[in-house]
Amino acid sequence: KELLHFFTQNLKKFGKKHHALFVKMDPAIQYRSFKVDEEQIINADAAMKIPSIKKTGAKWNGLTMEMDATIQPRFQANVHVKDFSEEQLSKKTRQMLRTARNKGVKTRITRMDGVLELTRLMSLTESRKNVRLRSNDEGIYYKKLLELYGEDAFILLAELNIKELLSQSEARLKQIEKDFSHLKENQEKKRRALVEQRFSVNRDVEELTEKLKTDGEVVNIAATLSIRFGETSEILYAGMDERYKRYMAPYLAWFDTIQALFEIGATSANMGGLEGSLKDGLLQFKKNFNPMIEEFIGEFDLPVNPILFNASQFAYKLKKSKKI
């Protein structure tokens, strides 16, 4: 408590020197941590620390539930190395990974060479979700991250070799036609199976032929950008091309990204924030990777100038309520 008092008093002095109204604090203290669908037990030690911080004069913003209520999300999905392997994933997730691999999706690690493709895929994601994710500066922000973190930052690209897939599909179609020619009249069951296969492969050939014209021989269909700091890591950005949704590339991209982070020394991989209700679409995808849901105690505002701080908070709430 003495150290906490010393720390906050000097924060106030520092804030006053720089004419701040208040200091925003977001302690890395976990309020709860649990697996999806498991019992949520409150960390008693964390609950005891909240009153201690409030006694310094800091204003606690409470256990907010909306992701935009705080600068950093209070709820995060964090994968820990001890809980992560392909065998530990659900049957559905393993099937998605097999589908991606069987359909020809391959991943590779890159850095500066991957910025343009990451920017393109992030732009597609922005348009699809109607959000802004830093792709409007031609990759300058992504480049800065890669420069600052060096070998501890990377881009992972998931790609399809369309020309190769088309060649394989055309070969399969020829084999199906050959099998048709050898059918006997009483092989009705096999005939029906071949009809279904021919329809499916024909569709693939038509689609891939068109994609080869528009997208070229090799196309990137999903990407992530991640950083490591010590034993922690963050998957900061992820984008995909919705036109290739049925190839399940995001599953393989995220799985290989998490593996790559653990291989360079991280013991945890933060998949990002969640709504406190845990009912949003973000969790539906992220829970495929067996994350721990980690809830933090939230933000505190430490007033430097109490009178102006109170006035600013009143004005902020008024502006927010009017949405101006």
Side-chain angles (χ1 to χ4, degrees):
K1 289 182 180 178
E2 291 78 11
L3 180 59
L4 178 63
H5 177 78
F6 172 84
F7 179 65
T8 52
Q9 291 305 307
N10 279 279
L11 272 180
K12 286 181 185 178
K13 290 178 182 177
F14 183 79
K16 190 172 184 179
K17 179 181 176 182
H18 292 275
H19 310 292
L21 295 179
F22 64 98
V23 178
K24 174 76 71 176
M25 303 188 295
D26 180 18
I29 299 170
Q30 288 186 18
Y31 186 69
R32 287 183 293 191
S33 61
F34 52 91
K35 288 291 183 70
V36 179
D37 301 325
E38 284 187 355
E39 183 182 3
Q40 303 178 17
I41 300 173
I42 296 173
N43 177 359
D45 184 54
M48 290 175 60
K49 288 175 180 175
I50 294 170
S52 296
I53 298 173
K54 289 169 69 175
K55 283 181 181 178
T56 67
K59 311 293 182 182
W60 184 40
N61 292 330
L63 301 174
T64 54
M65 301 297 282
E66 297 78 18
M67 194 153 50
D68 63 358
T70 50
I71 294 174
Q72 295 294 331
R74 269 205 335 112
F75 291 80
Q76 298 179 2
N78 211 347
V79 179
H80 293 267
V81 66
K82 62 182 177 62
D83 299 323
F84 186 76
S85 69
E86 193 158 344
E87 294 72 28
Q88 288 173 283
L89 302 180
S90 69
K91 183 179 178 180
K92 174 199 164 191
T93 306
R94 295 198 305 272
Q95 178 58 50
M96 296 298 184
L97 293 175
R98 283 195 297 272
T99 298
R101 291 168 182 147
N102 291 339
K103 286 184 176 293
V105 179
K106 296 179 180 177
T107 65
R108 61 186 177 92
I109 300 292
T110 182
R111 289 183 169 81
M112 288 299 179
D113 290 345
V115 169
L116 286 180
E117 281 299 282
L118 172 69
T119 304
R120 180 182 67 82
L121 289 164
M122 292 305 299
S123 179
L124 292 175
T125 302
E126 287 180 339
S127 299
R128 188 176 77 252
K129 294 187 175 182
N130 195 27
V131 294
R132 299 290 294 274
L133 297 169
R134 303 269 189 183
S135 71
N136 61 336
D137 65 355
E138 299 181 353
I140 293 173
Y141 181 79
Y142 304 139
K143 288 178 182 176
K144 187 176 292 186
L145 280 173
L146 293 167
E147 288 169 357
L148 288 171
Y149 281 86
E151 292 299 309
D152 290 321
F154 62 84
I155 292 170
L156 181 138
L157 295 174
E159 66 181 26
L160 274 181
N161 189 319
I162 297 178
K163 186 177 180 180
E164 186 178 291
L165 289 174
L166 178 58
S167 178
Q168 292 171 2
S169 295
E170 288 172 336
R172 285 178 60 200
L173 195 56
K174 286 181 181 178
Q175 183 60 50
I176 290 170
E177 296 299 346
K178 185 178 179 180
D179 292 343
F180 259 115
S181 67
H182 292 118
L183 274 176
K184 296 177 181 179
E185 289 186 9
N186 63 344
Q187 291 182 296
E188 194 57 38
K189 186 175 180 180
K190 187 173 182 180
R191 185 183 302 276
R192 287 197 297 269
L194 286 173
V195 167
E196 290 179 5
Q197 289 175 31
R198 182 166 60 183
F199 176 81
S200 176
V201 177
N202 250 323
R203 184 189 61 182
D204 288 344
V205 168
E206 290 174 3
E207 180 184 297
L208 291 167
T209 300
E210 186 60 31
K211 290 288 192 291
L212 185 62
K213 293 177 185 176
T214 59
D215 297 346
E217 293 185 8
V218 179
V219 61
N220 294 298
I221 60 176
T224 62
L225 188 155
S226 309
I227 59 173
R228 179 183 76 92
F229 183 77
E231 295 186 350
T232 66
S233 64
E234 302 263 351
I235 304 172
L236 293 177
Y237 295 99
M240 67 170 288
D241 189 334
E242 184 77 7
R243 297 174 304 153
Y244 292 90
K245 186 177 180 180
R246 71 186 184 93
Y247 289 85
M248 303 299 170
Y251 289 89
L252 188 60
W254 281 77
F255 179 80
D256 285 357
T257 296
I258 295 168
Q259 274 201 323
L261 287 167
F262 292 156
E263 286 170 4
I264 62 172
T267 60
S268 66
N270 192 337
M271 300 178 74
L274 305 165
E275 294 286 352
S277 66
L278 302 181
K279 293 179 180 178
D280 59 340
L282 292 171
L283 180 59
Q284 295 310 306
F285 176 77
K286 292 175 181 178
K287 72 179 183 181
N288 284 291
F289 302 94
N290 198 26
M292 184 72 76
I293 308 302
E294 297 174 350
E295 177 187 0
F296 295 86
I297 63 173
E299 292 180 351
F300 293 81
D301 294 328
L302 183 66
V304 174
N305 185 322
I307 296 174
L308 289 180
F309 168 74
N310 291 331
S312 71
Q313 293 301 290
F314 176 77
Y316 175 72
K317 289 176 182 177
L318 184 64
K319 180 177 180 181
K320 196 171 183 181
S321 67
K322 293 181 177 180
K323 296 182 179 179
I324 56 173

